Structure formats: structure tokens, C-alpha cells
Amino acid sequence: MNSVETLFIPEEIKNTELEGKLVVVIDVLRASSTIVTALANGCRGFIPILSPKQAKEKAQQFEKERVLLGGEREGKKIEGFDLGNSPREYKGEVVKGKTIIFSTTNGVKTLEMAKNAHRIIIGSFLNLHAVGDYCANYRGDILIICAGKEGKYSLEDAACAGMLVDSLKNALSDACKESDANLTAQLLYEKFGNNILKILRKSQHGRYLESIGLEKDLMFCSQLDFFHIVPIFRDGIISIKKLNKERKD
Ligand code: MLT
């Protein structure tokens, strides 16, 4: 691992070089958490597609019993889709062996914007230290990109980035330790420590999800290291590779 940099919204990508970098996409509430959960529960892979219309067209290319449409707009299930974006819906008996065509507001947008990176992995509190191990073994520069909320900063993604930076701090150069973005994220993590549910309940999107009856999603997404997997986005599909030491070349 060379350098680590944190972006609080994907729109900052335009000022940053993606070439040759490992990107960690963080969308705690809820895209990252849903992807990690479904893959841990045996789904074959996620195909992220921004527009719901194109997602429905993509699903037509699959045998009906081998594909599901999942995603949200304003936190609610998209009309005509099989699943919303609550990780609690992506149980083994529902997703095992299935490919998920996936459309969400911020998480999928961030994946789309980061696609020119060398490698993209999915981070959340659910798989935080598995991602930390992966980063520590990666030979190259790392970019942590928070999905945010419609182009704005989100507390929960920044705190998750802070916990990840903190887990890498012993291997970080002074320059990385002192970058304002890394430091801000880490100070945020230090403020809340492992009281993750408190962070999610304080966050704007967390309060919105509670207002539409999804408080149980906050509890689910606040579980630290519940899964030990690292989803990788490659060739248009997100799937899991059980913690193999990834060489950059
Ligand atoms: C997103 O990608 O915008 C979020 O995951 C939205 C949500 O699920 O509430």
C-alpha cells in the first residue's frame, strides 16, 4: 500500500487521478451493505445500472429464474422491481445463485463514476476489516470514495472511511496521516468510536430511512465485521473473491 486518500463525495473524482488506483466505494446506507450481504448469502453477482429502465432491459437477457431486479429511489422499492435496497430482503433463500440487476441513487452512481480505476471494491461497516486487510496487502495507491447523498456529504460514509483509515494508520506515511480529508474522517471515527448505530441515527439519511419505517436497516448496517468478504467490481459485475492477496499487476 502506497498512499491513501479520502473523497467525501464522488463529484471530487474530477480533481483526482483514478488510473492505477484501488478504489473503495462506501455507501453504508445502504447500497454497499446490501451488496455485501447478498454476496455473503450466495448471490452470483450484482450488475449495477443507473437507469431503472435499462436495468429492466438488462434483466430480459437472463433466464427469469436466475435474475432479480433490486434497487431504490427515495429509499423505496422501484416499481416493477423484485427487491428494494434493504439488506434484510437479500436473504439466502431469496438470492442464492441469482444475479441481481441493481439500481440505486448514490451507490450505483459512484460505481459508474469510479469505473476507470484499476480495481474497485465495496466497503461498509459489515466488512470493514476484511476491506482493511485487502487494502493493507494492495501494492499501490488507494482512494476511499464516499457515495454521499445526492452530491452532498454524508456523516455515515465519512465515519466508515475514518474507521478504515484508522485501521490502516500503522502502515500510513505521515503525508497520508496528515491529509485533511483522512484526518477529518479519522477524527469523526474517534468521536463515535464503535458506537456505529449512534452515527447512523444521527445521520440525515439515517433519520430519513427511520421516517419511512426502515429503522431496522440502521441496526443491520451498524453491525461491525459481520461478514468477512471483499466484493470486487470487475467487467461490469460485482462478485466476491475470498481475501486472496491481490497483487497490483
Ligand atoms: C443509495 O445508493 O442511494 C442508497 O443506498 C439509498 C438507499 O438505499 O437508501
Side-chain angles (χ1 to χ4, degrees):
M1 179 181 75
N2 295 357
S3 74
V4 173
E5 195 185 341
T6 300
L7 305 184
F8 290 123
I9 53 170
E11 285 70 14
E12 288 182 68
I13 288 171
K14 66 181 182 311
N15 316 326
T16 315
E17 187 53 56
L18 284 176
E19 216 60 44
K21 292 188 179 164
L22 168 68
V23 162
V24 182
V25 168
I26 294 180
D27 184 9
V28 171
L29 293 178
R30 297 166 291 169
S32 289
S33 302
T34 295
I35 293 167
V36 170
T37 302
L39 288 168
N41 289 340
C43 101
R44 283 170 60 82
F46 274 73
I47 298 179
I49 297 185
L50 260 178
S51 107
K53 182 170 171 299
Q54 287 165 0
K56 287 175 182 167
E57 286 157 10
K58 183 75 180 176
Q60 303 295 327
Q61 298 169 12
F62 290 75
E63 292 161 46
K64 198 149 181 25
E65 59 286 350
R66 299 187 64 73
V67 70
L68 289 168
L69 279 159
E72 61 70 48
R73 285 298 181 273
E74 291 163 4
K76 299 173 186 134
K77 185 161 78 88
I78 297 167
E79 203 183 323
F81 274 37
D82 306 296
L83 302 168
N85 193 25
S86 165
R88 294 173 299 122
E89 295 175 74
Y90 292 72
K91 297 187 175 71
E93 61 266 27
V94 175
V95 301
K96 206 170 190 54
K98 302 272 173 79
T99 297
I100 314 273
I101 313 294
F102 195 53
S103 182
T104 75
T105 315
N106 304 294
V108 168
K109 176 188 83 177
T110 306
L111 288 164
E112 180 63 27
M113 293 170 78
K115 67 174 183 271
N116 296 332
H118 170 73
R119 176 143 306 131
I120 300 173
I121 62 174
I122 309 295
S124 68
F125 287 116
L126 295 169
N127 67 335
L128 200 277
H129 288 95
V131 168
D133 295 346
Y134 190 100
C135 292
N137 287 303
Y138 185 78
R139 295 186 199 148
D141 296 334
I142 296 169
L143 200 52
I144 302 170
I145 307 181
C146 299
K149 187 178 167 64
E150 288 132 29
K152 295 208 177 70
Y153 168 94
S154 72
L155 181 71
E156 70 277 10
D157 293 345
C160 187
M163 191 184 271
L164 181 55
V165 169
D166 190 74
S167 77
L168 298 169
K169 72 174 175 261
N170 300 334
L172 284 181
S173 66
D174 290 349
C176 288
K177 280 189 193 128
E178 281 132 24
S179 95
D180 284 352
N182 290 345
L183 205 47
T184 305
Q186 216 184 341
L187 289 171
L188 190 57
Y189 160 59
E190 284 167 10
K191 159 119 180 89
F192 287 97
N194 289 356
N195 191 344
I196 299 166
L197 189 53
K198 188 174 176 188
I199 300 168
L200 303 190
R201 285 193 168 137
K202 273 198 176 300
S203 73
Q204 251 179 287
H205 196 51
R207 284 180 279 124
Y208 170 71
L209 291 173
E210 284 183 326
S211 75
I212 59 171
L214 294 168
E215 57 277 356
K216 285 197 181 126
D217 281 1
L218 275 63
M219 288 147 86
F220 189 93
C221 297
S222 70
Q223 300 172 99
L224 186 60
D225 297 331
F226 196 63
F227 301 115
H228 206 63
I229 62 166
V230 179
I232 301 180
F233 183 34
R234 196 188 341 236
D235 310 326
I237 189 160
I238 307 167
S239 62
I240 50 173
K241 214 172 160 46
K242 281 231 167 35
L243 291 190
N244 294 330
K245 294 229 171 330
E246 276 297 327
R247 288 198 324 286
K248 184 167 179 231
D249 46 303

